[in-house]
Amino acid sequence: MDYTADPRVDAYIDALPEWQQAVCRQVRELVHAADPDVVETIKRTRQPYFVLEGNVCALLAAKDHVNVFLYDGGLTPDPEHLITGGQENKTGRTVAFYEGESLNGPALTDMFRSIIANNRAGGWRKIKKDQ
């Protein structure tokens, strides 16, 4: 995949245990594959974010899992039931990955594409307001 890597995101990922590095790198590739215009950055001092006309997702490695925060306002369909937390959250939901679990790349990419489409349509706040 051809994208501009933020060295701060590289540093965040490189400091993690090997299995978490693998998860974060796979998510990073998928979000960039969802749309080549996605930009990665660091927000909140050290957390990797992926943005395109608004937040798409963020990574947060915890002791025993990696959280992928989806900034979707609860609008993004989840037919594969990837969402593990925040179902009632008004701004975002999470997908948690634990060591040894496989990542459903096509389903996660579809979710990223949906979030990006919503961002391009004015963002989930505007979409919810117009509904």
Side-chain angles (χ1 to χ4, degrees):
M1 179 102 261
D2 186 26
Y3 58 86
T4 301
D6 186 318
R8 300 170 302 166
V9 174
D10 289 328
Y12 178 89
I13 293 171
D14 291 345
L16 300 174
E18 201 168 298
W19 74 268
Q20 288 182 323
Q21 288 181 31
V23 169
C24 289
R25 287 186 179 119
Q26 191 172 1
V27 170
R28 183 189 213 182
E29 292 293 323
L30 292 172
V31 71
H32 284 291
D35 192 298
D37 292 332
V38 167
V39 174
E40 54 186 58
T41 189
I42 295 290
K43 294 185 181 186
R44 299 192 166 132
T45 309
R46 62 180 283 261
Q47 193 172 350
Y49 273 72
F50 300 87
V51 299
L52 179 56
E53 297 188 35
N55 292 331
V56 177
C57 69
L59 297 173
L60 180 62
K63 185 174 183 172
D64 66 344
H65 65 283
V66 173
N67 272 326
V68 178
F69 291 93
L70 304 174
Y71 291 90
D72 67 348
L75 293 177
T76 301
D78 183 21
E80 300 292 326
H81 308 288
L82 300 181
I83 302 296
T84 57
Q87 286 86 344
E88 302 303 318
N89 191 308
K90 299 209 183 304
T91 59
R93 299 177 289 172
T94 60
V95 180
F97 296 101
Y98 292 83
E99 188 172 8
E101 289 183 342
S102 61
L103 194 148
N104 185 336
L108 194 55
T109 301
D110 286 346
M111 293 178 88
F112 292 150
R113 286 187 177 129
S114 175
I115 295 166
I116 291 165
N118 289 342
N119 285 357
R120 285 190 163 138
W124 64 265
R125 285 179 177 89
K126 179 186 183 317
I127 293 169
K128 278 188 159 181
K129 187 177 116 186
D130 291 348
Q131 288 181 340

